[in-house]
Amino acid sequence: MLEVLIALFAVSFVAPLIFRRLGRGTFYVLGAVPAAGFVWLLANFASFTGAEQAARIGEPNAPPSILVPWVESLHLELAFRMDALAAVLSLLVLGVGALVLFYCARYFKNEDANIGPFGAQLLAFAGAMFGLVISDDLIMLFIFWELTTVLSYLLVGFARTRIFARRSALQALIVTTFGGLVMLLGLILLGETAGSYRLSEIMADAAALTAQGTVVDVAILLILVGAVSKSALVPFHFWLPGAMAAPTPVSAYLHAAAMVKAGVYLVARLAPGFSETAYWHGTLLVLGLATMLVGGWRALRQHDIKLVLAYGTVSQLGFLMLVVGIGTANAAVAGLSMMLAHGFFKAALFLVVGIIDHKAGTRDLRELSGLWRTAPKLFVVTLVSAASMAGLPPFFGFVAKESVFETLLDGAANGDPGGTWLLVGVVAGSILTFAYTARFVWGGFASKPGVAPTTFKAVPWLFMASPLLLSLVTIATAFTPALIEDAIAPYAGLFEPAGHPVHLALWHGFTPALGLSAVVVAVGVLLFAGRAAVARAQDKLYPLIDAEKSYKHILGATDEIAVWVTGRTQRGSLAFYLIVILIVGLLAPAVAGIAFDVPTPQHIVWFDTPAQLVIGLVMVVGSIAAIKANKRFLAVLMVGVTGYGMAIMFALQGAPDLALTQLLVETIVLVAMVLALRTLPAPLWTTNPAGHKVLRAAIGIAFGVVMVGIAATAMASRTADPISLMLPELAYVGGAGENIVNVILVDIRAWDTFGEITVLAAAATGVASLIYVRGRGDDRRRTEDVAPGSVDRGSEHLHHSTRATAALAIARHFAESAKDAWLVAGRTLAPERRSIIFEVITRLLFHSMILFSIYLLITGHNTPGGGFAGGLLAGLALTIRYLAGGRFELAESTPISPGTLLGLGLATASLSAVFPLFFGGQIFQSAALEFALPLFGEHKFVTSTFFDIGVYLVVVGLVVDVLRSLGAEIDERSEGRSPVVVHEAPEGSTEGVAR
């Protein structure tokens, strides 16, 4: 079964590529995958049901299951199990899925847009649904559950240019995701209570779990919320008719045979063990019956034949949930047989609607007329499936409905609570089913007085093959019900044996169930005959509660609340945000410290050496000066004093690697902040700052005191030896390095570092987006090629691909025409912006800094340095070159775009992570290679250096991105975007003028 699951997803991944070559014929290739799975399922079906029987008598290794450990520390595993219930549902998932995909080959045209992604998504949905029914782990079941939700959203919104399709897709996504998240809470509660997330183990221990009372009752109720929302029961039923905006094949598969059955499947899966919990019957029986009646009633007022089927599906889903939720052996037989019958006839009828829509150009029953004459083959196929839906013999829908009536009659006779009203309600719902079935057949095919016969093109056999096969299956299963009963029997055997077992048969004789069927037909005919009176009554009986309007009101209220909260919290004030963060960070630990008996430090060492005291006092002075500063530039410099002081503290404590990194980070940050300050007013305060300063200083000091207290308390609370004592051995033996800090970053905690460089790449993108965004009303920066509000990022595409290319050409022009060809500041900077001393220093330091950064990268595994420090130093070298030569010099010195550097860095780090897997290792596992070179002696190279190279590239890319965003871009804006004109110098001269 795992091979089938993998094949479904694997082929879906490559499907768009196949579509490019085969066009719509690719649907036949895609349909072959679930078809092959269906054949495999039939060939092995007996072994699955036999395994279930073996499991009941205690034989080992039954039923067939696959267990693959995933995250063992979290008890997560890939567990799959094929028992009788999963096998029966898989018949629908794979069989109907294959027929729908074959149908798509004639439904779509080669010219239709996005059929490649559509085919891939539809096949992936089949894989997700198959994975859902065979999952034996609660978390895996939830993952596949949500995959069906996401894929349904994509498929319903296939017509992305139609606003109704987009709204319907979003509505279905919100409703089913809400139910899924509630269900997740129930699954976790159930798994934690059971001590296992294996579904088979939970079901085996269901009796003991049920005895625990409220906790399990609530867990099951939460799970039922997910099932009810997925299967479109009241009050969540409104999303399913809206989802009819999807192409008809989607409706035939997702909303008739697969997705909406997920909730019914989950209820059937839990019923053997948890049907006696407190909220089970009250939830499923009441909502199921209400849905059956509401859906049937609403179907009678629809004019779109697809919506007639949609509301009919809602009604039938309520019917199925009610029957399966009864939780008896007879109900299991009746429920699963009805589920199969519904999948057969409803999928066929939806496919018929697709053919009518294609050939007639309309689905409005007021406009369709005479199709029974112009499309007789299609009419016969429709009659068969419609008769099965109405519960008429000799079709499988009749067989299944008879078994339901027998089950309900038996329950009423035995005095089951609510047995009588359930029987009456189901009979009433069945009458509505017959009436809307007649409405569908009459509306789609009958000749109507005053309506011209509908022009209808001939239907090719290939187009009609799928609904025809489903109709034939409906007939065949009616005459071979024993095969279906044998398939369902192992699942029914999980319940207590029934006193009067129900059996599937086309003819039971003259029984009360047959009498109820006759009543349904008779009253249904009368209801259809009086459809005009029914319509008038429906117009007068407006529903007291409209679920869809309630959903829209809730959504609107949520939006309004969100706007209100956002307006009062997201005020655009960085100071306000920091105050909120600091106050929370201040109060939370303070309250915890007061509420709990936290040990306090008994002995505090204020400083180890006089140098630490001096540096500490300097940092305090810098902090106070930053508070009292009236200019932004001065405040930034004073904040930098505290950063440099911390670097010296690290050095005094014997941590040169941290000191070096802190020094470089502080320098880069200082430069970036100074560059950004050019766009801000010079004064720090625009209003009277007296009150603000005192309040902010108090909050800052209090926060600092609390943080120091937390650190001191944590150290005083230690009872075990610190793990840092083990780090030297871990670094040298495990990581083959002497620099503990670097080994931790690139080996021991490489996952953390990988996450950090990913964040750095995201931060670089954010910085560029903020600078290059094309704002509303910014006519000065708006161009024909970039839409307002879009982001024009760096040199990646348009903005820098033209502008930076021009800047680079100008810089190279001067480099070629000037004697001092390396630094072109003299030709591109205004005289007042030049510093000859700085240019000379840059010439002396740049190459040495680049070389030293590479040295730090290579030797960082054993000496202070590493990819992060090396990348910062290289970025600092480029910063110096930019400050000396301006934006043209930056373009000359960085021919590779920052986006490329970031991408190369992440790619290098990723490849170094997965490369060990090809040699039987683990992700991020490193190896030490020892070798000798002539003249250079013995050397040792650790493969984690490749990961460090990725870090180096990401850091350099980040710095370059900041320089281009906060440096070159702001430079250009300050120049008023005046064009740069190059005037050639006279021949023989080295002078040139740039304006």
Side-chain angles (χ1 to χ4, degrees):
M1 58 183 145
L2 194 57
E3 292 81 359
V4 175
L5 182 63
I6 294 173
L8 290 168
F9 281 110
V11 176
S12 70
F13 286 139
V14 300
L17 300 177
I18 305 175
F19 270 97
R20 293 181 183 179
R21 179 170 294 272
L22 301 181
R24 66 176 184 174
T26 304
F27 282 112
Y28 291 120
V29 178
L30 302 186
V33 181
F38 182 78
V39 172
W40 166 83
L41 183 64
L42 289 180
N44 296 275
F45 202 89
S47 65
F48 302 141
T49 55
E52 182 102 3
Q53 293 167 350
R56 290 204 305 276
I57 62 176
E59 293 184 9
N61 302 322
S65 61
I66 297 174
L67 181 63
V68 181
W70 184 14
V71 184
E72 296 183 7
S73 60
L74 298 178
H75 307 290
L76 296 180
E77 52 195 13
L78 306 179
F80 302 100
R81 185 170 181 263
M82 181 67 80
D83 58 5
L85 178 60
V88 169
L89 264 293
S90 296
L91 289 174
L92 285 179
V93 172
L94 298 175
V96 177
L99 292 177
V100 169
L101 284 165
F102 291 148
Y103 173 90
C104 287
R106 313 318 303 172
Y107 181 86
F108 290 100
K109 300 177 181 178
N110 287 322
E111 299 79 21
D112 290 337
N114 301 313
I115 59 172
F118 173 86
Q121 292 158 9
L122 192 58
L123 184 61
F125 182 89
M129 196 66 201
F130 182 67
L132 189 155
V133 299
I134 66 173
S135 291
D136 194 31
D137 180 85
L138 295 181
I139 302 301
M140 285 302 302
L141 184 145
F142 175 76
I143 291 173
F144 284 116
W145 184 282
E146 289 305 298
L147 273 178
T148 62
T149 297
V150 174
L151 290 168
S152 170
Y153 166 74
L154 296 173
L155 291 167
V156 172
F158 170 72
R160 61 192 66 175
T161 58
R162 294 171 52 203
I163 190 170
F164 178 68
R166 298 200 303 271
R167 286 179 177 172
S168 298
L170 185 60
Q171 177 178 270
L173 179 70
I174 291 174
V175 173
T176 54
T177 299
F178 165 77
L181 293 176
V182 174
M183 184 184 78
L184 177 61
L185 296 177
L187 294 176
I188 293 175
L189 190 58
L190 181 62
E192 291 299 318
T193 305
S196 171
Y197 282 82
R198 287 287 298 276
L199 192 51
S200 54
E201 294 177 1
I202 291 172
M203 295 305 299
D205 199 32
L209 289 172
T210 304
Q212 296 191 25
T214 304
V215 175
V216 174
D217 291 341
V218 171
I220 296 300
L221 176 62
L222 295 175
I223 294 172
L224 291 181
V225 171
V228 165
S229 66
K230 196 78 160 184
S231 291
L233 265 65
V234 169
F236 304 107
H237 62 286
F238 58 88
W239 73 261
L240 183 56
M244 293 302 108
T248 300
V250 174
S251 303
Y253 190 39
L254 276 66
H255 307 137
M259 176 179 169
V260 292
K261 296 293 196 305
V264 181
Y265 161 77
L266 187 57
V267 170
R269 176 61 73 190
L270 297 176
F274 298 100
S275 60
E276 298 302 322
T277 53
Y279 309 109
W280 180 277
H281 288 114
T283 301
L284 295 178
L285 301 186
V286 173
L287 294 184
L289 184 57
T291 304
M292 185 179 187
L293 296 174
V294 169
W297 180 253
R298 294 293 297 273
L300 292 178
R301 60 181 293 124
Q302 304 305 315
H303 299 292
D304 184 336
I305 56 175
K306 191 176 183 181
L307 284 180
V308 173
L309 292 182
Y311 280 102
T313 300
V314 170
S315 177
Q316 293 285 304
L317 288 172
F319 184 31
L320 291 172
M321 196 70 86
L322 181 153
V323 177
V324 173
I326 292 174
T328 64
N330 284 344
V333 173
L336 289 194
S337 60
M338 193 68 221
M339 188 189 305
L340 288 174
H342 179 263
F344 297 152
F345 64 66
K346 191 56 66 71
L349 292 176
F350 269 116
L351 296 179
V352 166
V353 169
I355 294 174
I356 293 174
D357 194 13
H358 251 245
K359 301 301 180 181
T362 182
R363 300 194 305 255
D364 194 327
L365 56 81
R366 294 167 296 187
E367 299 176 2
L368 294 169
S369 179
L371 294 190
W372 69 279
R373 292 181 181 274
T374 54
K377 295 178 291 187
L378 188 64
F379 178 57
V380 172
V381 170
T382 304
L383 273 184
V384 171
S385 294
S388 183
M389 181 166 69
L392 297 177
F395 307 106
F396 189 58
F398 169 78
V399 175
K401 189 168 289 188
E402 285 282 290
S403 66
V404 174
F405 284 160
E406 288 186 13
T407 299
L408 295 176
L409 285 167
D410 185 61
N414 293 334
D416 291 348
T420 301
W421 64 263
L422 274 180
L423 178 62
V424 173
V426 168
V427 170
S430 299
I431 292 171
L432 293 174
T433 300
F434 184 94
Y436 70 67
T437 301
R439 179 179 180 84
F440 172 81
V441 176
W442 167 82
F445 291 88
S447 297
K448 303 177 183 68
V451 180
T454 303
T455 303
F456 199 82
K457 301 176 183 177
V459 183
W461 279 106
L462 280 177
F463 201 5
M464 199 164 51
S466 293
L468 175 61
L469 285 174
L470 288 169
S471 298
L472 292 176
V473 170
T474 295
I475 299 173
T477 49
F479 289 95
T480 56
L483 294 177
I484 303 297
E485 186 174 345
D486 290 342
I488 299 173
Y491 169 70
L494 299 176
F495 298 87
E496 290 292 330
H500 301 282
V502 168
H503 297 286
L504 300 180
L506 186 58
W507 175 253
H508 288 94
F510 294 99
T511 62
L514 183 62
L516 290 178
S517 295
V519 170
V520 167
V521 173
V523 180
V525 169
L526 293 176
L527 192 61
F528 171 71
R531 56 187 178 276
V534 171
R536 288 193 296 270
Q538 287 184 325
D539 291 336
K540 296 178 181 179
L541 297 175
Y542 190 78
L544 297 177
I545 299 177
D546 190 318
E548 186 169 7
K549 286 187 177 179
S550 300
Y551 159 81
K552 291 178 179 178
H553 289 324
I554 292 173
L555 213 59
T558 303
D559 287 341
E560 291 177 2
I561 293 172
V563 170
W564 184 86
V565 172
T566 302
R568 283 153 182 78
T569 56
Q570 302 295 317
R571 300 159 63 173
S573 170
L574 180 60
F576 175 78
Y577 301 153
L578 287 175
I579 287 174
V580 172
I581 293 171
L582 293 180
I583 289 178
V584 173
L586 169 66
L587 294 179
V591 171
I594 296 172
F596 301 98
D597 186 15
V598 178
T600 56
Q602 300 299 318
H603 178 64
I604 298 177
V605 178
W606 294 101
F607 55 89
D608 293 323
T609 64
Q612 289 182 341
L613 176 60
V614 173
I615 296 303
L617 292 175
V618 172
M619 294 171 66
V620 171
V621 171
S623 301
I624 296 174
I627 295 174
K628 296 182 68 65
N630 291 321
K631 300 290 186 180
R632 296 181 190 273
F633 180 73
L634 180 60
V636 168
L637 289 181
M638 292 301 100
V639 171
V641 168
T642 63
Y644 287 118
M646 184 59 67
I648 298 175
M649 285 288 192
F650 286 144
L652 292 175
Q653 285 296 108
D657 206 305
L658 294 179
L660 175 63
T661 304
Q662 175 68 24
L663 182 68
L664 295 170
V665 167
E666 194 63 40
T667 304
I668 291 293
V669 170
L670 183 61
V671 171
M673 293 185 70
V674 170
L675 290 175
L677 287 181
R678 296 179 296 167
T679 63
L680 299 174
L684 186 57
W685 303 97
T686 56
T687 59
N688 183 11
H692 296 87
K693 282 188 175 182
V694 174
L695 174 63
R696 296 176 185 184
I699 293 175
I701 292 171
F703 181 79
V705 170
V706 169
M707 291 300 107
V708 171
I710 291 174
T713 302
M715 296 176 68
S717 304
R718 185 184 297 279
T719 58
D721 292 335
I723 193 175
S724 58
L725 298 177
M726 303 172 57
L727 288 178
E729 181 180 359
L730 287 172
Y732 190 75
V733 176
E738 298 178 2
N739 184 351
I740 299 174
V741 174
N742 185 260
V743 174
I744 290 174
L745 292 176
V746 302
D747 194 319
I748 298 175
R749 303 196 65 174
W751 273 113
D752 289 353
T753 306
F754 186 77
E756 290 164 3
I757 63 174
T758 304
V759 171
L760 284 179
T765 303
V767 170
S769 299
L770 289 173
I771 299 299
Y772 292 118
V773 66
R774 306 283 184 173
R776 288 186 292 269
D778 190 5
D779 296 329
R780 192 171 53 84
R781 292 187 45 76
R782 195 169 293 171
T783 66
E784 294 180 355
D785 300 311
V786 182
S790 66
V791 174
D792 185 14
R793 191 192 184 290
S795 62
E796 278 72 27
H797 187 57
L798 173 66
H799 193 52
H800 268 292
S801 65
T802 55
R803 194 192 67 191
T805 301
L808 186 59
I810 294 170
R812 286 176 175 169
H813 165 80
F814 289 115
E816 293 171 358
S817 62
K819 291 181 179 179
D820 51 345
W822 183 72
L823 194 66
V824 296
R827 306 294 184 265
T828 60
L829 285 180
E832 63 271 16
R833 292 188 57 189
R834 292 188 61 191
S835 172
I836 302 301
I837 295 177
F838 195 24
E839 292 177 21
V840 172
I841 293 174
T842 302
R843 290 172 181 271
L844 294 174
L845 292 182
F846 178 78
H847 301 89
S848 299
M849 293 177 69
I850 293 295
L851 289 175
F852 189 59
S853 74
I854 297 174
Y855 171 81
L856 291 177
L857 166 65
I858 296 174
T859 63
H861 211 64
N862 294 290
T863 59
F868 193 74
L872 287 172
L873 186 59
L876 188 58
L878 292 169
T879 301
I880 293 174
R881 190 165 174 181
Y882 158 70
L883 294 175
R887 63 187 180 94
F888 293 111
E889 187 62 35
L890 179 64
E892 173 70 17
S893 60
T894 55
I896 301 176
S897 71
T900 302
L901 287 172
L902 292 168
L904 286 174
L906 288 176
T908 303
S910 301
L911 290 175
S912 69
V914 301
F915 193 71
L917 297 177
F918 296 101
F919 297 91
Q922 299 179 358
I923 292 181
F924 283 118
Q925 183 175 345
S926 61
L929 307 176
E930 297 184 3
F931 55 92
L933 294 175
L935 302 178
F936 294 97
E938 295 183 353
H939 293 274
K940 180 172 67 175
F941 178 80
V942 184
T943 55
S944 58
T945 304
F946 291 114
F947 180 80
D948 225 5
I949 293 173
V951 175
Y952 179 93
L953 293 174
V954 168
V955 173
V956 173
L958 171 65
V959 175
V960 173
D961 213 356
V962 170
L963 290 176
R964 288 195 173 185
S965 302
L966 301 180
E969 175 66 13
I970 295 177
D971 286 345
E972 184 178 0
R973 292 185 184 183
S974 64
E975 295 166 8
R977 294 182 61 86
S978 57
V980 179
V981 181
V982 178
H983 295 279
E984 297 290 344
E987 186 174 355
S989 172
T990 60
E991 294 298 321
V993 180
R995 185 173 66 245

